[in-house]
Amino acid sequence: MKNNKSLIAVNVSVFLIMLGVGMIVALLPQRVIDLSGSMSVVGLLASVFAITYVLAQIPIGHLADKIGFKKLLIAGYMICSVVGLLFLGAKTANHILIGRFLQGIGEVPIWALAPALLSLQYADTKGKVIGLYNASLHLGLCFGPLLGMLLVRTAEQGNSAFIFFAAVSFTGGLIVYLYVEDFRSETITERFNPGKLVSLLSERRVLAVLIGIALYGAAYGLMLTIIPAFLITIKSFNQTMISLMFSLFYISVSLSQLAAGALSDRKGRLAVMIWGLLFAATGLAFFSPLQSPPIYLLIALASFGLGMFSVSAMAYLNESVADSLKGTISGAFYLFWGLGFFIGPILAGKFGESAGFGISFYLIAVLMALEIFLLKAYLISNSNRNKSF
């Protein structure tokens, strides 16, 4: 029987740290306003995190391929623990922004490297274990704000959330140190070569999937920004209804990744990616004219589809490269996800202001439909070794 020690350890660790992340992200905007006296600084909370999170993906992924995944995973958790203490002792808004900058670096290994490590240790069931890991991550994000509501009732008690985040980050790193088995390819001896990386990412079948990942990132970003704003301003949703929407989003993504990871192991990555995009496009295209409660069903459908696509796309990319590039390709996944996540909502917001937000949602649904045809065109030649629905 396969030893599941590493699998259990990384899932417990990521669930713990994402509980902390879910708690602090709700507190940081008010903390920045209190320290700076300005709402304009709040927007930088996402920007400074994005800079390091996106730019560090490929270098950290390649470094993991050279020196091993475990060291960088532990480093990521420990950086986040230090960030929690920095937030706790912050005297100015700049201290918070520095913490977010460092948090972007710390979260790169946690999001990208653990799935790559699991894909190597559980090669025959990589879709299942990656889906389980991503589900644990999103469940932590889902329950973190709820736990925060219980622990944090006043502004002064907000410090307890930062202490909690520092503690669970340290605990996660300790769990990884004690129980996770490392993997390091012995085949990498050359320096990081951007030319070879560009050649890999420009392969048609890989690029087709990466384009879909960017769309996935854009839709994920819409779910956290533009869609809630649309529901509040156009549909008159209150805060309780928005909280329900976020819970549905995270739970739907988690459940779909649990199911779709194992399904893609049996039925093939391409089939699950296509069905995921189809579900996501359908939900995004048709939710905006509806009212509550039917609107929740379409949002849940779109969220379920996004989870299906993401786990099967990640598994597909991991199968597309040698073991010596697992970390690099996982970094590429989150590089393209990050680009979509941070650029997509900006473009949707600008387009929505001029043409209507409903049109923005239709447009991303159309792009997902086109992506389905792109995947069929460039991956169909490889699908004969996979089963189909």
Side-chain angles (χ1 to χ4, degrees):
M1 179 180 291
K2 185 182 289 292
N3 188 347
N4 290 321
K5 181 176 66 174
S6 290
L7 178 63
I8 295 170
V10 294
N11 277 280
V12 171
S13 296
V14 77
F15 178 76
L16 288 175
I17 193 173
M18 289 303 153
L19 277 178
V21 170
M23 290 177 63
I24 66 171
V25 292
L27 299 174
L28 289 177
Q30 186 61 54
R31 182 59 63 95
V32 167
I33 292 172
D34 292 341
L35 292 173
S36 67
S38 171
M39 289 188 62
S40 62
V41 183
V42 174
L44 295 176
L45 286 171
S47 300
V48 296
F49 177 90
I51 290 170
T52 50
Y53 182 84
V54 171
L55 295 182
Q57 290 289 348
I58 298 294
I60 289 179
H62 185 74
L63 183 61
D65 288 326
K66 294 178 66 176
I67 69 171
F69 295 84
K70 184 173 180 176
K71 297 182 183 69
L72 293 174
L73 265 176
I74 295 171
Y77 280 99
M78 294 307 167
I79 289 172
C80 288
S81 183
V82 172
V83 167
L85 297 177
L86 183 58
F87 288 157
L88 176 65
K91 303 299 182 183
T92 69
N94 285 336
H95 293 158
I96 299 291
L97 296 179
I98 292 171
R100 286 290 284 171
F101 187 89
L102 294 174
Q103 187 183 352
I105 298 174
E107 287 198 24
V108 168
I110 294 166
W111 284 77
L113 297 189
L117 176 61
L118 291 174
S119 74
L120 290 165
Q121 294 181 339
Y122 301 87
D124 294 336
T125 56
K126 61 170 62 72
K128 179 180 178 180
V129 296
I130 290 173
L132 178 61
Y133 181 82
N134 287 338
S136 298
L137 185 154
H138 283 91
L139 285 174
L141 289 174
C142 177
F143 291 113
L146 300 178
L147 180 60
M149 291 173 61
L150 297 175
L151 295 181
V152 182
R153 299 185 183 277
T154 68
E156 290 74 16
Q157 289 176 323
N159 287 336
S160 63
F162 299 130
I163 295 172
F164 181 85
F165 177 61
V168 293
S169 297
F170 181 85
T171 302
L174 184 61
I175 291 172
V176 171
Y177 174 76
L178 292 174
Y179 299 111
V180 173
E181 298 176 10
D182 200 6
F183 179 92
R184 184 175 80 87
S185 173
E186 302 295 337
T187 63
I188 293 186
T189 56
E190 75 273 11
R191 287 179 172 271
F192 178 68
N193 189 325
K196 289 185 178 180
L197 177 63
V198 170
S199 177
L200 168 66
L201 299 185
S202 60
E203 289 183 17
R204 288 183 176 182
R205 63 192 178 93
V206 173
L207 184 59
V209 176
L210 291 173
I211 291 172
I213 291 165
L215 286 174
Y216 159 60
Y220 197 110
L222 291 180
M223 286 288 187
L224 300 184
T225 56
I226 300 298
I227 290 177
F230 170 81
L231 296 176
I232 292 170
T233 58
I234 305 300
K235 301 296 182 179
S236 301
F237 274 35
N238 58 35
Q239 189 58 51
T240 300
M241 298 169 77
I242 293 298
S243 297
L244 177 59
M245 174 257 165
F246 277 117
S247 295
L248 272 177
F249 170 66
Y250 285 128
I251 291 173
S252 297
V253 170
S254 299
L255 292 178
S256 67
Q257 291 183 331
L258 279 174
L263 185 64
S264 71
D265 287 333
R266 301 194 308 271
K267 301 294 185 179
R269 315 301 181 197
L270 176 60
V272 178
M273 280 192 279
I274 288 174
W275 278 98
L277 286 171
L278 183 61
F279 290 158
T282 300
L284 290 169
F286 296 112
F287 86 92
S288 60
L290 302 177
Q291 297 294 332
S292 176
I295 199 169
Y296 287 121
L297 297 177
L298 272 297
I299 290 175
L301 177 66
S303 304
F304 196 90
L306 291 176
M308 287 182 66
F309 173 81
S310 67
V311 67
S312 51
M314 182 178 289
Y316 179 86
L317 289 180
N318 270 276
E319 291 174 338
S320 301
V321 299
D323 287 353
S324 58
L325 290 174
K326 298 296 188 185
T328 302
I329 201 65
S330 288
F333 178 101
Y334 280 106
L335 170 63
F336 277 76
W337 178 89
L339 291 173
F341 180 86
F342 296 111
I343 295 174
I346 294 174
L347 295 179
K350 295 291 185 182
F351 190 82
E353 288 178 351
S354 59
F357 286 102
I359 301 298
S360 294
F361 305 140
Y362 288 131
L363 180 59
I364 193 168
V366 169
L367 292 175
M368 287 181 170
L370 293 175
E371 170 66 9
I372 290 175
F373 289 105
L374 188 65
L375 289 175
K376 284 188 173 183
Y378 290 124
L379 275 66
I380 198 68
S381 60
N382 297 319
S383 66
N384 56 1
R385 64 189 174 201
N386 295 330
K387 300 175 184 178
S388 60
F389 284 122

Short mmCIF file of all heavy atoms in Angstrom, two decimals, residues 195-247:
data_model
loop_
_atom_site.label_atom_id
_atom_site.label_comp_id
_atom_site.label_asym_id
_atom_site.label_seq_id
_atom_site.Cartn_x
_atom_site.Cartn_y
_atom_site.Cartn_z
N GLY A 195 15.26 30.59 -23.03
CA GLY A 195 14.95 30.18 -24.40
C GLY A 195 14.26 28.83 -24.45
O GLY A 195 13.26 28.65 -25.16
N LYS A 196 14.77 27.87 -23.68
CA LYS A 196 14.15 26.55 -23.64
C LYS A 196 12.78 26.60 -23.00
O LYS A 196 11.86 25.88 -23.41
CB LYS A 196 15.06 25.57 -22.87
CG LYS A 196 16.32 25.18 -23.61
CD LYS A 196 17.09 24.13 -22.83
CE LYS A 196 18.34 23.69 -23.61
NZ LYS A 196 19.12 22.66 -22.89
N LEU A 197 12.64 27.47 -22.00
CA LEU A 197 11.34 27.61 -21.35
C LEU A 197 10.31 28.17 -22.33
O LEU A 197 9.19 27.67 -22.42
CB LEU A 197 11.45 28.53 -20.14
CG LEU A 197 10.14 28.82 -19.41
CD1 LEU A 197 9.55 27.54 -18.84
CD2 LEU A 197 10.37 29.85 -18.31
N VAL A 198 10.70 29.20 -23.07
CA VAL A 198 9.79 29.78 -24.07
C VAL A 198 9.42 28.74 -25.11
O VAL A 198 8.26 28.64 -25.54
CB VAL A 198 10.44 31.01 -24.73
CG1 VAL A 198 9.60 31.48 -25.93
CG2 VAL A 198 10.59 32.14 -23.72
N SER A 199 10.40 27.92 -25.52
CA SER A 199 10.13 26.87 -26.50
C SER A 199 9.11 25.86 -25.97
O SER A 199 8.20 25.44 -26.68
CB SER A 199 11.43 26.15 -26.87
OG SER A 199 11.19 25.08 -27.76
N LEU A 200 9.27 25.49 -24.69
CA LEU A 200 8.33 24.56 -24.07
C LEU A 200 6.92 25.16 -24.01
O LEU A 200 5.94 24.51 -24.40
CB LEU A 200 8.80 24.20 -22.66
CG LEU A 200 7.79 23.46 -21.77
CD1 LEU A 200 7.50 22.07 -22.33
CD2 LEU A 200 8.31 23.37 -20.34
N LEU A 201 6.82 26.39 -23.54
CA LEU A 201 5.52 27.01 -23.35
C LEU A 201 4.85 27.37 -24.66
O LEU A 201 3.63 27.60 -24.69
CB LEU A 201 5.65 28.26 -22.47
CG LEU A 201 6.20 28.04 -21.06
CD1 LEU A 201 6.17 29.34 -20.27
CD2 LEU A 201 5.43 26.96 -20.33
N SER A 202 5.63 27.44 -25.74
CA SER A 202 5.04 27.80 -27.03
C SER A 202 4.61 26.57 -27.84
O SER A 202 4.08 26.73 -28.94
CB SER A 202 6.05 28.63 -27.86
OG SER A 202 7.24 27.90 -28.10
N GLU A 203 4.86 25.37 -27.32
CA GLU A 203 4.31 24.18 -27.98
C GLU A 203 2.80 24.31 -28.05
O GLU A 203 2.15 24.71 -27.07
CB GLU A 203 4.68 22.91 -27.20
CG GLU A 203 6.14 22.54 -27.29
CD GLU A 203 6.43 21.24 -26.57
OE1 GLU A 203 5.44 20.50 -26.30
OE2 GLU A 203 7.59 20.95 -26.27
N ARG A 204 2.21 23.98 -29.16
CA ARG A 204 0.79 24.27 -29.38
C ARG A 204 -0.11 23.64 -28.32
O ARG A 204 -1.02 24.30 -27.81
CB ARG A 204 0.37 23.78 -30.78
CG ARG A 204 0.92 24.64 -31.90
CD ARG A 204 0.41 24.15 -33.24
NE ARG A 204 0.84 25.03 -34.32
CZ ARG A 204 0.49 24.86 -35.60
NH1 ARG A 204 -0.27 23.82 -35.94
NH2 ARG A 204 0.92 25.70 -36.51
N ARG A 205 0.16 22.40 -27.99
CA ARG A 205 -0.72 21.72 -27.03
C ARG A 205 -0.57 22.34 -25.64
O ARG A 205 -1.55 22.47 -24.90
CB ARG A 205 -0.42 20.23 -27.00
CG ARG A 205 0.98 19.87 -26.54
CD ARG A 205 1.33 18.41 -26.80
NE ARG A 205 2.70 18.11 -26.38
CZ ARG A 205 3.01 17.65 -25.18
NH1 ARG A 205 2.06 17.43 -24.29
NH2 ARG A 205 4.26 17.42 -24.86
N VAL A 206 0.65 22.72 -25.26
CA VAL A 206 0.87 23.35 -23.96
C VAL A 206 0.28 24.76 -23.94
O VAL A 206 -0.40 25.16 -22.99
CB VAL A 206 2.38 23.39 -23.63
CG1 VAL A 206 2.63 24.19 -22.35
CG2 VAL A 206 2.93 21.97 -23.49
N LEU A 207 0.53 25.51 -25.03
CA LEU A 207 0.02 26.88 -25.09
C LEU A 207 -1.50 26.91 -25.07
O LEU A 207 -2.11 27.79 -24.45
CB LEU A 207 0.54 27.57 -26.34
CG LEU A 207 0.19 29.05 -26.51
CD1 LEU A 207 0.71 29.87 -25.33
CD2 LEU A 207 0.75 29.60 -27.83
N ALA A 208 -2.13 25.94 -25.73
CA ALA A 208 -3.60 25.88 -25.74
C ALA A 208 -4.14 25.73 -24.32
O ALA A 208 -5.13 26.37 -23.94
CB ALA A 208 -4.07 24.72 -26.61
N VAL A 209 -3.50 24.89 -23.52
CA VAL A 209 -3.93 24.70 -22.13
C VAL A 209 -3.64 25.95 -21.30
O VAL A 209 -4.46 26.37 -20.48
CB VAL A 209 -3.25 23.47 -21.51
CG1 VAL A 209 -3.62 23.32 -20.04
CG2 VAL A 209 -3.66 22.21 -22.27
N LEU A 210 -2.48 26.58 -21.53
CA LEU A 210 -2.13 27.78 -20.77
C LEU A 210 -3.09 28.93 -21.04
O LEU A 210 -3.40 29.72 -20.14
CB LEU A 210 -0.69 28.19 -21.09
CG LEU A 210 0.41 27.26 -20.58
CD1 LEU A 210 1.76 27.68 -21.10
CD2 LEU A 210 0.42 27.22 -19.04
N ILE A 211 -3.57 29.04 -22.27
CA ILE A 211 -4.57 30.06 -22.59
C ILE A 211 -5.84 29.80 -21.78
O ILE A 211 -6.45 30.72 -21.23
CB ILE A 211 -4.86 30.08 -24.10
CG1 ILE A 211 -3.65 30.61 -24.87
CG2 ILE A 211 -6.10 30.94 -24.41
CD1 ILE A 211 -3.77 30.48 -26.36
N GLY A 212 -6.23 28.53 -21.69
CA GLY A 212 -7.38 28.18 -20.88
C GLY A 212 -7.16 28.50 -19.41
O GLY A 212 -8.08 28.94 -18.71
N ILE A 213 -5.93 28.30 -18.94
CA ILE A 213 -5.62 28.61 -17.54
C ILE A 213 -5.72 30.11 -17.28
O ILE A 213 -6.19 30.55 -16.22
CB ILE A 213 -4.22 28.07 -17.19
CG1 ILE A 213 -4.24 26.54 -17.18
CG2 ILE A 213 -3.74 28.61 -15.85
CD1 ILE A 213 -2.89 25.90 -17.19
N ALA A 214 -5.29 30.92 -18.25
CA ALA A 214 -5.44 32.37 -18.11
C ALA A 214 -6.92 32.75 -18.03
O ALA A 214 -7.31 33.62 -17.24
CB ALA A 214 -4.76 33.09 -19.28
N LEU A 215 -7.76 32.10 -18.84
CA LEU A 215 -9.21 32.35 -18.77
C LEU A 215 -9.77 31.89 -17.43
O LEU A 215 -10.65 32.55 -16.85
CB LEU A 215 -9.92 31.63 -19.91
CG LEU A 215 -9.75 32.23 -21.31
CD1 LEU A 215 -10.40 31.32 -22.36
CD2 LEU A 215 -10.38 33.63 -21.37
N TYR A 216 -9.29 30.77 -16.95
CA TYR A 216 -9.69 30.29 -15.62
C TYR A 216 -9.32 31.31 -14.55
O TYR A 216 -10.13 31.63 -13.67
CB TYR A 216 -9.02 28.94 -15.35
CG TYR A 216 -8.91 28.55 -13.89
CD1 TYR A 216 -10.05 28.41 -13.10
CD2 TYR A 216 -7.66 28.30 -13.31
CE1 TYR A 216 -9.95 28.03 -11.76
CE2 TYR A 216 -7.56 27.93 -11.97
CZ TYR A 216 -8.70 27.80 -11.21
OH TYR A 216 -8.60 27.44 -9.89
N GLY A 217 -8.11 31.85 -14.63
CA GLY A 217 -7.70 32.88 -13.69
C GLY A 217 -8.57 34.12 -13.77
O GLY A 217 -8.93 34.72 -12.75
N ALA A 218 -8.92 34.52 -15.00
CA ALA A 218 -9.77 35.70 -15.18
C ALA A 218 -11.15 35.46 -14.56
O ALA A 218 -11.69 36.34 -13.86
CB ALA A 218 -9.91 36.02 -16.67
N ALA A 219 -11.73 34.28 -14.80
CA ALA A 219 -13.05 33.97 -14.24
C ALA A 219 -12.98 33.88 -12.71
O ALA A 219 -13.90 34.34 -12.01
CB ALA A 219 -13.57 32.66 -14.82
N TYR A 220 -11.90 33.32 -12.19
CA TYR A 220 -11.69 33.25 -10.74
C TYR A 220 -11.66 34.66 -10.16
O TYR A 220 -12.26 34.95 -9.12
CB TYR A 220 -10.39 32.51 -10.46
CG TYR A 220 -10.19 32.00 -9.06
CD1 TYR A 220 -10.23 30.63 -8.79
CD2 TYR A 220 -9.93 32.86 -8.00
CE1 TYR A 220 -10.02 30.14 -7.51
CE2 TYR A 220 -9.72 32.38 -6.72
CZ TYR A 220 -9.76 31.03 -6.47
OH TYR A 220 -9.55 30.55 -5.20
N GLY A 221 -10.92 35.55 -10.84
CA GLY A 221 -10.86 36.93 -10.40
C GLY A 221 -12.21 37.63 -10.44
O GLY A 221 -12.55 38.40 -9.54
N LEU A 222 -12.99 37.36 -11.48
CA LEU A 222 -14.33 37.94 -11.57
C LEU A 222 -15.21 37.49 -10.41
O LEU A 222 -16.01 38.27 -9.87
CB LEU A 222 -14.99 37.54 -12.89
CG LEU A 222 -14.42 38.12 -14.19
CD1 LEU A 222 -15.21 37.61 -15.38
CD2 LEU A 222 -14.44 39.63 -14.16
N MET A 223 -15.07 36.23 -10.02
CA MET A 223 -15.88 35.71 -8.92
C MET A 223 -15.58 36.42 -7.60
O MET A 223 -16.45 36.53 -6.73
CB MET A 223 -15.62 34.21 -8.75
CG MET A 223 -16.24 33.34 -9.82
SD MET A 223 -18.05 33.27 -9.64
CE MET A 223 -18.43 32.02 -10.89
N LEU A 224 -14.37 36.93 -7.46
CA LEU A 224 -13.98 37.58 -6.21
C LEU A 224 -14.12 39.10 -6.25
O LEU A 224 -14.01 39.75 -5.20
CB LEU A 224 -12.52 37.22 -5.86
CG LEU A 224 -12.21 35.73 -5.67
CD1 LEU A 224 -10.76 35.56 -5.24
CD2 LEU A 224 -13.14 35.10 -4.65
N THR A 225 -14.34 39.67 -7.42
CA THR A 225 -14.35 41.13 -7.54
C THR A 225 -15.58 41.66 -8.28
O THR A 225 -16.49 42.22 -7.68
CB THR A 225 -13.08 41.62 -8.25
OG1 THR A 225 -12.98 40.96 -9.54
CG2 THR A 225 -11.83 41.30 -7.43
N ILE A 226 -15.61 41.49 -9.60
CA ILE A 226 -16.63 42.11 -10.44
C ILE A 226 -18.02 41.52 -10.17
O ILE A 226 -19.01 42.26 -10.08
CB ILE A 226 -16.28 41.96 -11.93
CG1 ILE A 226 -14.93 42.61 -12.22
CG2 ILE A 226 -17.37 42.56 -12.81
CD1 ILE A 226 -14.90 44.10 -11.97
N ILE A 227 -18.11 40.20 -10.04
CA ILE A 227 -19.42 39.58 -9.84
C ILE A 227 -20.04 40.00 -8.50
O ILE A 227 -21.23 40.36 -8.46
CB ILE A 227 -19.33 38.05 -10.00
CG1 ILE A 227 -19.09 37.71 -11.48
CG2 ILE A 227 -20.60 37.37 -9.49
CD1 ILE A 227 -18.91 36.25 -11.77
N PRO A 228 -19.30 39.98 -7.38
CA PRO A 228 -19.90 40.51 -6.15
C PRO A 228 -20.34 41.97 -6.28
O PRO A 228 -21.42 42.34 -5.79
CB PRO A 228 -18.77 40.36 -5.12
CG PRO A 228 -17.93 39.26 -5.64
CD PRO A 228 -17.98 39.39 -7.13
N ALA A 229 -19.52 42.80 -6.94
CA ALA A 229 -19.90 44.20 -7.13
C ALA A 229 -21.17 44.31 -7.98
O ALA A 229 -22.05 45.14 -7.70
CB ALA A 229 -18.76 44.96 -7.80
N PHE A 230 -21.27 43.46 -9.01
CA PHE A 230 -22.46 43.44 -9.86
C PHE A 230 -23.70 43.04 -9.05
O PHE A 230 -24.77 43.65 -9.18
CB PHE A 230 -22.24 42.45 -11.01
CG PHE A 230 -23.46 42.14 -11.83
CD1 PHE A 230 -23.89 43.01 -12.81
CD2 PHE A 230 -24.18 40.97 -11.60
CE1 PHE A 230 -25.02 42.72 -13.58
CE2 PHE A 230 -25.31 40.67 -12.36
CZ PHE A 230 -25.73 41.56 -13.34
N LEU A 231 -23.55 42.03 -8.21
CA LEU A 231 -24.68 41.57 -7.40
C LEU A 231 -25.13 42.63 -6.40
O LEU A 231 -26.32 42.79 -6.12
CB LEU A 231 -24.30 40.28 -6.67
CG LEU A 231 -24.02 39.06 -7.55
CD1 LEU A 231 -23.57 37.88 -6.71
CD2 LEU A 231 -25.22 38.69 -8.40
N ILE A 232 -24.18 43.38 -5.85
CA ILE A 232 -24.51 44.42 -4.87
C ILE A 232 -25.18 45.62 -5.54
O ILE A 232 -26.23 46.10 -5.08
CB ILE A 232 -23.24 44.88 -4.11
CG1 ILE A 232 -22.73 43.74 -3.21
CG2 ILE A 232 -23.53 46.13 -3.28
CD1 ILE A 232 -21.35 44.01 -2.62
N THR A 233 -24.59 46.09 -6.64
CA THR A 233 -25.08 47.32 -7.26
C THR A 233 -26.29 47.11 -8.17
O THR A 233 -27.19 47.95 -8.21
CB THR A 233 -23.96 47.98 -8.07
OG1 THR A 233 -23.48 47.06 -9.07
CG2 THR A 233 -22.80 48.38 -7.17
N ILE A 234 -26.33 46.01 -8.89
CA ILE A 234 -27.40 45.78 -9.87
C ILE A 234 -28.52 44.92 -9.28
O ILE A 234 -29.70 45.16 -9.52
CB ILE A 234 -26.84 45.13 -11.15
CG1 ILE A 234 -25.71 45.97 -11.72
CG2 ILE A 234 -27.96 44.94 -12.18
CD1 ILE A 234 -26.11 47.39 -12.11
N LYS A 235 -28.15 43.91 -8.50
CA LYS A 235 -29.14 42.97 -7.97
C LYS A 235 -29.52 43.27 -6.52
O LYS A 235 -30.35 42.55 -5.96
CB LYS A 235 -28.59 41.54 -8.06
CG LYS A 235 -28.26 41.08 -9.47
CD LYS A 235 -29.50 41.03 -10.34
CE LYS A 235 -29.18 40.53 -11.74
NZ LYS A 235 -30.38 40.45 -12.58
N SER A 236 -28.91 44.32 -5.93
CA SER A 236 -29.23 44.75 -4.57
C SER A 236 -29.01 43.66 -3.52
O SER A 236 -29.78 43.53 -2.56
CB SER A 236 -30.69 45.24 -4.50
OG SER A 236 -30.89 46.32 -5.39
N PHE A 237 -27.95 42.86 -3.71
CA PHE A 237 -27.61 41.85 -2.71
C PHE A 237 -27.06 42.54 -1.46
O PHE A 237 -26.33 43.53 -1.55
CB PHE A 237 -26.55 40.90 -3.26
CG PHE A 237 -27.10 39.74 -4.05
CD1 PHE A 237 -28.22 39.88 -4.85
CD2 PHE A 237 -26.48 38.50 -4.00
CE1 PHE A 237 -28.72 38.83 -5.58
CE2 PHE A 237 -26.98 37.43 -4.73
CZ PHE A 237 -28.11 37.60 -5.52
N ASN A 238 -27.41 42.00 -0.28
CA ASN A 238 -26.82 42.52 0.96
C ASN A 238 -25.58 41.70 1.31
O ASN A 238 -25.22 40.74 0.61
CB ASN A 238 -27.84 42.50 2.09
CG ASN A 238 -28.41 41.11 2.36
OD1 ASN A 238 -27.70 40.10 2.24
ND2 ASN A 238 -29.68 41.03 2.73
N GLN A 239 -24.92 42.06 2.42
CA GLN A 239 -23.66 41.42 2.77
C GLN A 239 -23.85 39.93 3.07
O GLN A 239 -22.99 39.11 2.73
CB GLN A 239 -23.04 42.10 3.98
CG GLN A 239 -21.62 41.63 4.28
CD GLN A 239 -20.68 41.82 3.11
OE1 GLN A 239 -20.58 42.91 2.54
NE2 GLN A 239 -19.97 40.76 2.71
N THR A 240 -24.97 39.56 3.67
CA THR A 240 -25.23 38.15 3.94
C THR A 240 -25.34 37.36 2.65
O THR A 240 -24.80 36.24 2.54
CB THR A 240 -26.52 38.00 4.76
OG1 THR A 240 -26.38 38.70 6.00
CG2 THR A 240 -26.81 36.53 5.04
N MET A 241 -26.02 37.91 1.67
CA MET A 241 -26.17 37.23 0.38
C MET A 241 -24.84 37.11 -0.34
O MET A 241 -24.56 36.09 -0.99
CB MET A 241 -27.19 37.98 -0.48
CG MET A 241 -28.59 38.03 0.15
SD MET A 241 -29.69 39.17 -0.70
CE MET A 241 -30.12 38.20 -2.16
N ILE A 242 -23.98 38.13 -0.22
CA ILE A 242 -22.65 38.07 -0.83
C ILE A 242 -21.79 37.02 -0.13
O ILE A 242 -21.05 36.26 -0.78
CB ILE A 242 -21.97 39.45 -0.78
CG1 ILE A 242 -22.71 40.44 -1.67
CG2 ILE A 242 -20.50 39.35 -1.19
CD1 ILE A 242 -22.73 40.07 -3.14
N SER A 243 -21.90 36.94 1.19
CA SER A 243 -21.15 35.92 1.92
C SER A 243 -21.58 34.52 1.48
O SER A 243 -20.73 33.62 1.33
CB SER A 243 -21.38 36.08 3.43
OG SER A 243 -20.88 37.32 3.87
N LEU A 244 -22.87 34.34 1.25
CA LEU A 244 -23.36 33.06 0.75
C LEU A 244 -22.79 32.76 -0.63
O LEU A 244 -22.41 31.61 -0.92
CB LEU A 244 -24.89 33.06 0.71
CG LEU A 244 -25.56 31.81 0.13
CD1 LEU A 244 -25.17 30.58 0.93
CD2 LEU A 244 -27.08 31.99 0.10
N MET A 245 -22.70 33.78 -1.46
CA MET A 245 -22.14 33.60 -2.80
C MET A 245 -20.68 33.14 -2.72
O MET A 245 -20.25 32.22 -3.44
CB MET A 245 -22.26 34.91 -3.58
CG MET A 245 -21.59 34.88 -4.95
SD MET A 245 -20.01 35.77 -4.91
CE MET A 245 -19.27 35.20 -6.44
N PHE A 246 -19.89 33.77 -1.84
CA PHE A 246 -18.50 33.37 -1.69
C PHE A 246 -18.38 31.94 -1.17
O PHE A 246 -17.53 31.17 -1.62
CB PHE A 246 -17.76 34.32 -0.74
CG PHE A 246 -17.27 35.58 -1.39
CD1 PHE A 246 -17.75 36.81 -1.01
CD2 PHE A 246 -16.32 35.53 -2.39
CE1 PHE A 246 -17.29 37.97 -1.61
CE2 PHE A 246 -15.85 36.68 -3.00
CZ PHE A 246 -16.35 37.91 -2.61
N SER A 247 -19.23 31.59 -0.22
CA SER A 247 -19.21 30.22 0.31
C SER A 247 -19.53 29.21 -0.78
O SER A 247 -18.88 28.17 -0.89
CB SER A 247 -20.21 30.09 1.46
OG SER A 247 -19.83 30.90 2.55
#
